[in-house]
Amino acid sequence: MAGSTSQARRVIVASLVGTSLEWYDFFLYTTAATLVFGKLFFPTLEPLNATLLALTTNAVAFVARPLGGIVFGHFGDRAGRKTVLVVTLLVMGISTFLIGVLPGYATIGVAAPILLAVLRFVQGLGLGGEWGGAVIMSLEHADDRRRGFNASWPQVGVPAGFVLATALLALLSATMTDAAFLSWGWRIPFLLSGVLVVVGLWVRLKVTESPLFAEVEKQGRTARMPLVEVVRTHPRALVSAFTARIGVDVAFYTFTVFILVYVTGRLGLPRSVGLNAVLIASALQLGLIPFFGSLSDRLGRRPVYLAGVVGAAIWVFAFFPLLDTRSFPLIVLAAVVALITHAAMYGPQAAFIAELFSTRLRYSGASMGYQLAGIVGGAIAPIIALKLLDVYGTTLAVSVYVVIALAVTAVGLAIAPETRDLDLARPTDLAHRG
């Protein structure tokens, strides 16, 4: 069962626009944490410790994301997907705007980093509910033969948001003095979120409810306590979703966030070098993610996903030596190939995780598996990488860390069945997933 072709396209556009804006907000913070937040909110500390604390406030959002997944997933499985997606967009947009007007440590003292962490936590709540809803709406409106392709479009919101956030910060950084950028220039992209969220809401309010959820609701089969049922009936699916994501997250944040710290702090290159390299690589992902999502419709979710895991595990050992050349073309090459391997994992990931759970529990199950992995994956990846480099003095330790995380992902894929050919309208097809 699926919606009409025109409605499916409308849902894809709405999901892509919404997730792009949410990830724009999210990556603004992540990038600003590596570039300016240490100086603004922790100025009394040594530069390394200030950066570590700024990245720690960044990690607060990853702790909040599972909570957002629980809360919004509950209502998404109880009341429907559409309304929840409108609320999550508002939560994310408002918190991002408030970060843009937040005074620094020099103005309000210790209250500044505390408020910064609180607003980052609220961002995490919004994003925790966003991903599951956007992916599931795209998946459940899709023709059965195009679920991987359709569900991959909300994933495109990640590089789209990253490109938009990084491009704005790179432009401001290049056209302003360091003093002006540090003083007020970094705030401009955060304040723009208030305008962009209006556009996202206008698009998102025009879509219809998921036909699969509407059928569950019509039959009176909605779950009273979705998360409790997920744990009880889909334990293997939950473990698989959780483990399958960890390596993808660690690799991604090493390739896109830690690279900024490494290129500027370790190699002493201008911050524009790392930003532009990641910007170019992320732009290429805009087409690569739906390509790999579509490929998973033909070859299966697991083979395409695993190819990306193997590719990333190999490339991470070439990644840092290429950065060490200090050659901009080679740094771009390092980032481009790294994010190609990530796209191979990320393209089929959305459909793979969502298909592991039955319709009446899908929002809660997919959100929990995905967001919990963010705590042990993306939240601490830049922090662990920075500490490994500091303790061992070599990037080899960072590469080994990434490979270990990718090995966990490979295990998650191995314990799950292939989900491409499931009939999502038949709950019995998913009974063995637990």
Side-chain angles (χ1 to χ4, degrees):
M1 183 193 303
S4 67
T5 301
S6 61
Q7 183 59 215
R9 289 173 181 164
R10 190 175 298 123
V11 169
I12 287 175
V13 171
S15 295
L16 176 59
V17 170
T19 53
S20 296
L21 294 180
E22 295 240 5
W23 282 106
Y24 163 80
D25 293 347
F26 196 78
F27 284 129
L28 268 181
Y29 190 103
T30 303
T31 306
T34 64
L35 297 177
V36 300
F37 283 174
K39 299 173 184 177
L40 287 175
F41 294 96
F42 305 97
T44 61
L45 301 176
E46 294 288 334
L48 175 63
N49 291 329
T51 301
L52 280 171
L53 274 178
L55 288 172
T56 301
T57 65
N58 177 54
V60 165
F62 291 87
V63 177
R65 281 165 64 173
L67 181 57
I70 292 172
V71 173
F72 293 116
H74 174 85
F75 289 106
D77 282 330
R78 289 281 297 155
R81 309 352 184 168
K82 178 181 174 179
T83 302
V84 171
L85 284 175
V86 171
V87 174
T88 59
L89 190 62
L90 281 171
V91 168
M92 194 73 170
I94 292 172
S95 58
T96 303
F97 180 85
L98 291 176
I99 290 173
V101 299
L102 182 64
Y105 185 92
T107 304
I108 59 174
V110 72
I114 292 175
L115 289 173
L116 181 69
V118 169
L119 290 172
R120 183 57 167 169
F121 186 86
V122 176
Q123 276 193 325
L125 290 176
L127 191 62
E130 164 71 20
W131 180 87
V135 164
I136 289 165
M137 281 285 279
S138 298
L139 181 87
E140 292 180 346
H141 274 89
D143 180 276
D144 287 345
R145 295 166 297 178
R146 295 170 60 86
R147 294 199 307 250
F149 176 73
N150 282 34
S152 70
W153 281 102
Q155 305 284 76
V156 177
V158 174
F162 191 88
V163 166
L164 184 57
T166 306
L168 276 173
L169 285 171
L171 177 64
L172 292 170
S173 180
T175 56
M176 302 175 69
T177 64
D178 286 347
F181 180 76
L182 190 63
S183 174
W184 57 270
W186 67 271
R187 297 180 183 274
I188 295 174
F190 285 85
L191 298 177
L192 281 175
S193 179
V195 178
L196 295 174
V197 75
V198 175
V199 177
L201 285 172
W202 178 77
V203 174
R204 191 157 276 185
L205 285 168
K206 291 181 174 293
V207 302
T208 60
E209 183 56 85
S210 153
L212 288 177
F213 176 80
E215 185 65 23
V216 167
E217 191 173 40
K218 179 181 177 182
Q219 296 172 0
R221 294 193 295 111
T222 54
R224 290 187 60 192
M225 297 295 291
L227 184 60
V228 174
E229 288 197 42
V230 167
V231 174
R232 181 171 56 84
T233 63
H234 292 64
R236 188 177 67 168
L238 199 58
V239 171
S240 179
F242 172 76
T243 52
R245 168 124 193 276
I246 289 175
V248 184
D249 238 22
V250 170
F252 178 75
Y253 282 93
T254 300
F255 294 149
T256 60
V257 177
F258 181 68
I259 184 179
L260 302 180
V261 178
Y262 186 77
V263 166
T264 56
R266 180 82 170 198
L267 302 182
L269 297 173
R271 60 173 170 252
S272 60
V273 172
L275 284 172
N276 290 334
V278 175
L279 184 62
I280 293 168
S282 296
L284 292 176
Q285 279 200 313
L286 298 176
L288 287 171
I289 289 175
F291 167 76
F292 286 114
S294 179
L295 193 62
S296 77
D297 285 327
R298 300 194 296 273
L299 303 180
R301 314 291 184 230
R302 294 194 303 171
V304 178
Y305 206 139
L306 186 59
V309 170
V310 173
I314 294 171
W315 187 251
V316 73
F317 291 102
F319 181 73
F320 289 108
L322 287 172
L323 299 185
D324 289 338
T325 65
R326 291 180 168 83
S327 164
F328 179 67
L330 292 180
I331 291 173
V332 170
L333 175 65
V336 165
V337 177
L339 291 193
I340 288 174
T341 67
H342 175 262
M345 297 182 282
Y346 210 56
Q349 183 187 77
F352 171 76
I353 291 178
E355 288 166 346
L356 289 170
F357 302 92
S358 55
T359 299
R360 61 195 298 271
L361 304 173
R362 186 166 295 127
Y363 204 137
S364 295
S367 294
M368 279 304 297
Y370 186 89
Q371 303 301 349
L372 278 173
I375 297 177
V376 296
I380 59 176
I383 299 170
I384 290 178
L386 192 57
K387 289 301 292 184
L388 286 172
L389 183 62
D390 184 47
V391 171
Y392 293 100
T394 173
T395 56
L396 181 61
V398 180
S399 298
V400 171
Y401 163 57
V402 173
V403 170
I404 291 172
L406 289 167
V408 173
T409 287
V411 171
L413 294 174
I415 65 175
E418 178 56 59
T419 62
R420 179 190 60 178
D421 298 322
L422 285 174
D423 181 355
L424 299 187
R426 294 179 58 195
T428 52
D429 270 3
L430 290 105
H432 67 286
R433 295 292 178 238

